[in-house]
Amino acid sequence: MKPTEETVSDEALMADAAAGDRKAFGTLTRRHLRRSIALAQRVVGNAADAEEVAQDAFLQIWANADRWRGDGTRFTTWLYRIVVNRAIDYKRRRSFSPLDAADEIADPAWSAETVIDGIRIGAAVDAAIAALPERQRAALSLCYHEEMTCAEASEILQVSVSAMESLLVRARRVVRARLQPLIRQKDGVRS
């Protein structure tokens, strides 16, 4: 039985792409573009920039397909490493903040107070995460949003597992400290 496009492994498709097979590369792109954009968005902070970062990452992969080693490294590890590095570089190059997205329309089934609390808490969490150094933000994104293990994420960021755990501990500690006044206020305790 001949393997179909859906059953061929990423690594086999990348090997074919490295040999110049555009169809194999197209399959890889379709499989991983959406998650790559989501990962980039969590690092750079907005959808438009994330799309640009993901496109740039896939262009880099196509241009450097012949560098694919396929020596036991998963394609997604290589891909996410490129996306994270491109996103961090992009964020550093930008000298201004993107325009804020339009306000969300509240669900009419919720009370105004609930909606306002949710927006305020969400904005506080987003701001606390956005204020983290890029590597800590990338570590949180890989481990929590992409649901990778510390070992997988450490490969992408090219750090040891203990360094990845340290990045996560520091990131959680900083986010928790920044949210503490909001938590106390929500619980009715004045700071």
Side-chain angles (χ1 to χ4, degrees):
M1 184 171 162
K2 185 178 178 185
T4 65
E5 186 176 284
E6 294 81 27
T7 61
V8 176
S9 73
D10 291 340
E11 292 71 24
L13 287 169
M14 190 59 212
D16 291 346
D21 185 342
R22 290 177 183 262
K23 185 177 178 186
F25 185 73
T27 300
L28 278 172
T29 302
R30 282 189 299 281
R31 276 187 192 174
H32 298 289
L33 183 61
R34 189 174 66 231
R35 288 193 78 169
S36 296
I37 290 171
L39 172 60
Q41 183 172 352
R42 286 188 290 277
V43 176
V44 298
N46 75 47
D49 291 344
E51 287 179 16
E52 189 172 326
V53 166
Q55 287 174 4
D56 184 47
F58 277 98
L59 283 173
Q60 181 183 4
I61 288 169
W62 176 250
N64 296 294
D66 59 335
R67 293 186 183 175
W68 170 250
R69 297 182 314 273
D71 58 0
T73 302
R74 289 179 24 203
F75 169 75
T76 53
T77 300
W78 192 52
L79 167 65
Y80 291 152
R81 181 180 303 142
I82 291 169
V83 171
V84 166
N85 288 340
R86 287 295 193 197
I88 289 171
D89 290 345
Y90 187 89
K91 182 88 171 155
R92 287 178 181 161
R93 282 195 315 259
R94 303 291 288 193
S95 60
F96 58 90
S97 297
L99 294 174
D100 291 334
D103 292 334
E104 293 182 28
I105 298 174
D107 182 347
W110 296 344
S111 71
E113 183 178 323
T114 302
V115 172
I116 291 169
D117 280 350
I119 291 170
R120 190 179 66 207
I121 291 168
V125 170
D126 289 346
I129 292 172
L132 290 171
E134 286 92 2
R135 293 185 68 75
Q136 289 179 14
R137 204 168 42 246
L140 280 177
S141 181
L142 291 169
C143 290
Y144 291 101
H145 295 285
E146 297 303 321
E147 299 177 357
M148 292 184 173
T149 65
C150 277
E152 292 169 331
S154 69
E155 278 187 59
I156 291 170
L157 291 180
Q158 296 179 311
V159 298
S160 67
V161 173
S162 62
M164 174 59 68
E165 290 170 348
S166 179
L167 283 169
L168 290 170
V169 166
R170 287 192 311 255
R172 288 189 298 247
R173 187 179 302 137
V174 169
V175 169
R176 190 177 306 119
R178 288 190 177 137
L179 296 177
Q180 204 54 270
L182 185 62
I183 293 167
R184 277 192 230 121
Q185 182 182 16
K186 181 95 173 114
D187 291 340
V189 178
R190 300 272 180 202
S191 50

